[in-house]
């Protein structure tokens, strides 16, 4: 079982819809990242969270440390939001840290 | 300011050869981390360097190695290439050498092994 699980794997929405992508992890973490990857491979860091909630434009990210769960919300979705969204947890194991990635959520927003 | 620069962007090698990829971080950033992305395994952490020292390492065989220079530029090397090494290799730079590091990714180097 992967240490970082994302759901759903694929998500199709109509323009304007509210979108939620979930990420859960099984071990203690020091931080969690939400990343966006467009076709062609380029990755953009959207948020880095260690507690609470962050907002940037139409994007909101939350994290619940006790429940080991994070969500990424997109309000008023737009076709340009179509991309793969990846959560990644910074995990400490045996004195070293590593970034462990979820499998990604492919979002398609139709006009 | 200039972003993270990876070179080369595309390359084709044959089995058994070796390859060196380069990553120039954002000016002032001292952390460089490397990742492999394949359709089957997704994104996986390779290693991270901070101020010329390898801080963390993922679960990859010894054929994968890296180094960081005094100007923070980093290289990764893969020796004795296998077909399964075909992947997009991404690097990211950060200002801190810890988990609390906002990462800026390069565009990646796409390696094809024939």
């Amino acid at each position: 079982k992967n240490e970082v699980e994302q759901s759903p794997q694929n998500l199709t929405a109509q323009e304007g819809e509210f979108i939620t992508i979930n990420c859960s992890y099984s071990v203690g973490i020091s931080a969690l990242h939400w990343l966006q990857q467009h076709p062609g491979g380029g990755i953009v860091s959207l948020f880095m969270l260690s507690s609470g909630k962050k907002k940037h434009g139409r994007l909101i990210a939350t994290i619940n440390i006790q429940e080991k769960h994070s969500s990424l919300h997109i309000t008023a979705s737009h076709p340009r939001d179509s991309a793969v969204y990846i959560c990644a947890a910074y995990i400490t194991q045996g004195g070293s840290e590593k970034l462990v990635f979820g499998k990604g959520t492919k979002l398609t927003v139709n006009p | 300011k200039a972003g993270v620069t990876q070179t080369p962007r595309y390359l084709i090698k044959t089995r058994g050869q070796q390859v060196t990829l380069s990553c120039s971080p954002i000016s002032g950033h001292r952390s460089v981390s490397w990742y492999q992305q394949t359709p089957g395994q997704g994104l996986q952490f390779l290693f991270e360097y901070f101020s010329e020292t390898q801080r963390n390492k993922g679960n990859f065989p010894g054929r994968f190695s890296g180094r960081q220079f005094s100007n923070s530029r980093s290289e990764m090397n893969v020796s004795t290439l296998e077909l399964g090494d075909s992947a997009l290799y991404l690097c990211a730079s950060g200002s801190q050498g810890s988990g609390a590091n906002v990462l800026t990714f390069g565009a990646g180097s796409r390696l094809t092994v024939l």
Side-chain angles (χ1 to χ4, degrees):
Chain A
K1 186 178 188 296
N2 199 23
E3 292 156 309
V4 178
E5 298 282 349
Q6 264 186 259
S7 63
Q9 257 188 307
N10 293 283
L11 183 54
T12 301
Q14 289 300 121
E15 185 173 355
E17 286 185 357
F18 180 83
I19 294 190
T20 296
I21 300 170
N22 295 299
C23 177
S24 60
Y25 48 93
S26 56
V27 296
I29 67 170
S30 55
L32 186 135
H33 297 255
W34 280 101
L35 310 171
Q36 180 192 57
Q37 186 171 32
H38 281 282
I43 293 180
V44 174
S45 177
L46 298 174
F47 297 102
M48 185 192 67
L49 293 161
S50 53
S51 64
K53 174 180 175 178
K54 287 191 176 180
K55 184 175 191 290
H56 186 257
R58 295 180 294 106
L59 301 177
I60 303 166
T62 64
I63 189 166
N64 185 317
I65 298 296
Q66 285 74 29
E67 294 186 5
K68 294 186 168 60
H69 181 268
S70 177
S71 293
L72 176 69
H73 306 286
I74 305 175
T75 61
S77 60
H78 190 276
R80 65 173 174 267
D81 297 326
S82 298
V84 176
Y85 292 84
I86 303 166
C87 74
Y90 224 106
I91 290 171
T92 301
Q93 275 182 340
S96 67
E97 292 179 311
K98 62 175 182 175
L99 203 54
V100 178
F101 297 85
K103 295 293 186 188
T105 295
K106 184 177 180 182
L107 171 66
T108 303
V109 181
N110 294 315
Chain B
K1 54 184 176 183
V4 179
T5 303
Q6 287 190 249
T7 57
R9 290 292 314 279
Y10 303 90
L11 66 166
I12 300 173
K13 294 284 186 179
T14 56
R15 276 181 299 174
Q17 287 187 311
Q18 72 158 11
V19 67
T20 299
L21 309 178
S22 177
C23 174
S24 294
I26 288 173
S27 177
H29 282 191
R30 291 190 291 162
S31 168
V32 174
S33 48
W34 288 90
Y35 307 90
Q36 181 197 64
Q37 187 176 35
T38 60
Q41 297 296 320
L43 273 161
Q44 293 181 280
F45 170 73
L46 280 157
F47 27 66
E48 180 196 359
Y49 287 87
F50 183 78
S51 293
E52 301 180 65
T53 301
Q54 187 181 87
R55 288 187 66 246
N56 299 298
K57 191 175 190 305
N59 300 325
F60 279 80
R63 300 184 297 108
F64 291 81
S65 63
R67 58 179 176 168
Q68 187 178 34
F69 302 96
S70 58
N71 62 357
S72 293
R73 187 178 72 87
S74 177
E75 289 181 346
M76 69 161 281
N77 185 77
V78 188
S79 62
T80 320
L81 284 166
E82 302 176 359
L83 295 179
D85 297 332
S86 294
L88 180 67
Y89 290 89
L90 292 150
C91 76
S93 85
S95 58
Q96 303 178 55
S98 71
N101 214 358
V102 176
L103 300 174
T104 303
F105 285 82
S109 294
R110 189 168 293 278
L111 170 65
T112 302
V113 182
L114 302 176

